[in-house]
Amino acid sequence: MGNLKLNKNSIKYIVGSVLGVVIIIYFAYQVYLMNASPYRTETAIERKLQSTIETKGFVVRDESNLTASDSSGTIISIAEDGKRVGSGETVAISFKTAQSAATYVKLNELNNEIDYYNQLKNKVGAGTNSPSSYNNMINSACISYICSAREEINSDFEDALGDLRDAITTKQLAVGTVISVDEKLAALQAELLELNGKDLGYTSIASPNPGYYIGSVDGYESAVKYSDVLKMNVADINNLVSSEPSAVDGNVMGKLVDSFNWYILCNVPYDLSGSLEVGKTVKVNIPNTSTGTFECAVEKKGEKEGDYISVILKCGLMNRDVAKLRITDIEIITDEYMGFRISNSAIREEDGQKGVYVLKGNTVQFKKVNILYSSEEYSIIESQADNSSYLRQYDTVITQGVDLYDGKVIS
């Protein structure tokens, strides 16, 4: 019985402690409510805004594979991805050994270094800018270098590294730092002379016909026939963006894109597709990449299937960034506006007129709005700077509050 009595006392103590904590939390919350502002606001800032449709796209090109006669060798592309090449033009070199390929790369590096130091000789004593301008050059180059490193695109990284090196060297020369250019050039030319005497043992790989060269394959080259692009429906596109690549033969070393135009196949929500009229030019952004924004034409809209509709976008741009796109997230920019982005919770209606309540000092005022675009969370409001009855730049918009009316004084 003694043990049972002790357990009951323990339970009473625990229950009492929990109730005490709950009471403390309750009173603390009431104090917070009394002191917290019953209003939340945001400032109307005019800026360039976009309405977008986010989806996943599958890229289709008119492409054919390039093969190497000896797949056991080491292949180095000499044509840039996305570059237009002519029939018979050398696009890559196949080396019998990896050592020969490494020597070829080293020869190119030496030639580039020699060109760099020859140009450097012409800069000695030529600096006339202020020290701050050289610092700005270095800062800008450093930012580009960091950004390109994050993107993990080798060609961009190498270009940015070269620009940073140039900026630092230019400042050194401008402030009188002595750089022994002639000695460096002599050493580089001696090394180049030694390597030039070696037999590299390579064969050239030429383009069989004109086209855009891409020095890699991804296994999706035969996923869709180029001639069947406009036949793809919602189900077909869903299958494509979720599909796995096919195996690629070992002797395939790249591909040629024959036709100028290529396509993005995607599905978009039907209720957002009204702005995608066939023939309309839209901008497409590939988020989190260095591809940037480019223009496409709406080539076709398919039939509605469930809540979605298929959309085929056509593009004629080709460069090393878009050349490797296949399955990717895309943002279709349907419209661009100059205006205010305002939370939908702020938009009210007074006497049949849509508007927002703003704070002018401690007084609430109703300002009319002209809505250009609305999403589930926010609306884009037109700026009407010449009309004081409408929302204007830097107005403090009330996004949360109760019992609001025009002329109310907030203490």
Side-chain angles (χ1 to χ4, degrees):
M1 292 294 293
N3 289 337
L4 181 60
K5 185 177 182 180
L6 179 62
N7 289 338
K8 287 181 178 179
N9 289 336
S10 298
I11 292 171
K12 289 180 180 179
Y13 175 77
I14 293 170
V15 171
S17 298
V18 171
L19 288 174
V21 171
V22 170
I23 291 170
I24 291 171
I25 292 174
Y26 173 78
F27 280 106
Y29 179 66
Q30 294 303 313
V31 171
Y32 167 77
L33 289 179
M34 286 188 291
N35 289 280
S37 172
Y39 304 100
R40 290 185 181 178
T41 63
E42 61 187 23
T43 303
I45 304 293
E46 187 176 13
R47 51 185 169 169
K48 187 176 182 179
L49 299 164
Q50 299 172 331
S51 58
T52 63
I53 301 173
E54 298 179 2
T55 183
K56 191 174 287 291
F58 186 93
V59 172
V60 179
R61 310 176 192 88
D62 184 14
E63 51 198 6
S64 55
N65 289 342
L66 292 173
T67 58
S69 57
D70 182 8
S71 60
S72 63
T74 300
I75 298 173
I76 295 178
S77 292
I78 62 172
E80 181 181 313
D81 280 345
K83 176 189 175 183
R84 179 78 178 177
V85 296
S87 179
E89 183 176 341
T90 299
V91 296
I93 300 175
S94 177
F95 295 88
K96 293 180 179 179
T97 66
Q99 182 60 47
S100 293
T103 301
Y104 175 83
V105 172
K106 183 63 177 178
L107 281 168
N108 282 333
E109 290 176 352
L110 287 171
N111 281 315
N112 290 335
E113 284 284 287
I114 289 171
D115 289 342
Y116 172 76
Y117 280 100
N118 277 325
Q119 294 173 12
L120 195 60
K121 287 178 68 174
N122 299 326
K123 292 183 180 180
V124 176
T128 58
N129 294 334
S130 64
S132 61
S133 66
Y134 291 115
N135 291 337
N136 291 336
M137 288 170 55
I138 293 173
N139 290 340
S140 177
C142 189
I143 292 171
S144 297
Y145 171 72
I146 293 171
C147 291
S148 62
R150 288 175 178 171
E151 295 293 347
E152 297 182 353
I153 298 176
N154 289 336
S155 55
D156 290 353
F157 176 78
E158 291 168 1
D159 291 343
L161 180 59
D163 291 341
L164 177 58
R165 177 189 183 188
D166 287 346
I168 294 172
T169 304
T170 300
K171 181 181 179 181
Q172 288 177 314
L173 292 172
V175 299
T177 303
V178 177
I179 300 177
S180 181
V181 177
D182 291 331
E183 289 183 11
K184 184 65 176 178
L185 273 172
L188 290 171
Q189 287 167 345
E191 189 175 0
L192 180 65
L193 184 62
E194 180 182 352
L195 290 180
N196 271 332
K198 293 187 176 182
D199 180 16
L200 299 182
Y202 64 84
T203 56
S204 298
I205 300 173
S207 172
N209 53 269
Y212 295 94
Y213 172 73
I214 302 175
S216 61
V217 290
D218 57 20
Y220 289 102
E221 285 74 18
S222 301
V224 181
K225 288 184 178 180
Y226 186 75
S227 58
D228 291 342
V229 163
L230 300 183
K231 301 176 183 178
M232 297 292 105
N233 58 30
V234 170
D236 295 329
I237 295 172
N238 280 335
N239 290 334
L240 285 171
V241 297
S242 62
S243 64
E244 295 295 327
S246 301
V248 180
D249 291 339
N251 64 338
V252 175
M253 48 71 58
K255 57 196 174 190
L256 278 179
V257 178
D258 296 328
S259 297
F260 179 73
N261 293 316
W262 51 277
Y263 298 89
I264 302 175
L265 283 55
C266 61
N267 294 327
V268 303
Y270 178 77
D271 58 356
L272 298 179
S273 66
S275 59
L276 298 176
E277 300 173 1
V278 174
K280 179 180 179 179
T281 298
V282 295
K283 291 182 180 179
V284 172
N285 179 53
I286 311 297
N288 304 316
T289 72
S290 62
T291 305
T293 301
F294 51 91
E295 291 187 342
C296 294
V298 180
E299 185 72 5
K300 183 183 178 182
K301 290 172 66 174
E303 298 295 326
K304 180 183 177 185
E305 297 179 40
D307 294 330
Y308 287 85
I309 188 171
S310 61
V311 175
I312 313 298
L313 304 174
K314 181 174 70 175
C315 184
L317 172 70
M318 181 59 70
N319 57 40
R320 65 185 179 187
D321 293 323
V322 302
K324 294 186 178 180
L325 294 178
R326 184 67 76 185
I327 299 175
T328 181
D329 293 325
I330 67 171
E331 295 174 347
I332 304 172
I333 302 170
T334 54
D335 288 292
E336 294 183 316
Y337 313 90
M338 284 300 297
F340 312 117
R341 174 172 169 156
I342 302 298
S343 300
N344 285 339
S345 61
I347 298 174
R348 316 293 178 101
E349 189 168 321
E350 190 173 291
D351 297 329
Q353 171 66 54
K354 287 191 176 181
V356 296
Y357 289 110
V358 302
L359 278 177
K360 292 290 185 181
N362 63 344
T363 304
V364 175
Q365 290 185 5
F366 182 79
K367 292 288 192 80
K368 302 174 187 176
V369 297
N370 182 22
I371 299 174
L372 300 174
Y373 167 81
S374 288
S375 70
E376 292 184 359
E377 298 179 356
Y378 67 89
S379 293
I380 297 175
I381 307 300
E382 182 182 10
S383 173
Q384 299 194 37
D386 57 345
N387 193 334
S388 60
S389 66
Y390 280 81
L391 183 66
R392 301 170 79 176
Q393 177 93 316
Y394 305 125
D395 278 345
T396 302
V397 180
I398 300 174
T399 59
Q400 181 176 308
V402 295
D403 192 27
L404 296 173
Y405 56 87
D406 192 37
K408 179 178 181 178
V409 177
I410 298 175
S411 58

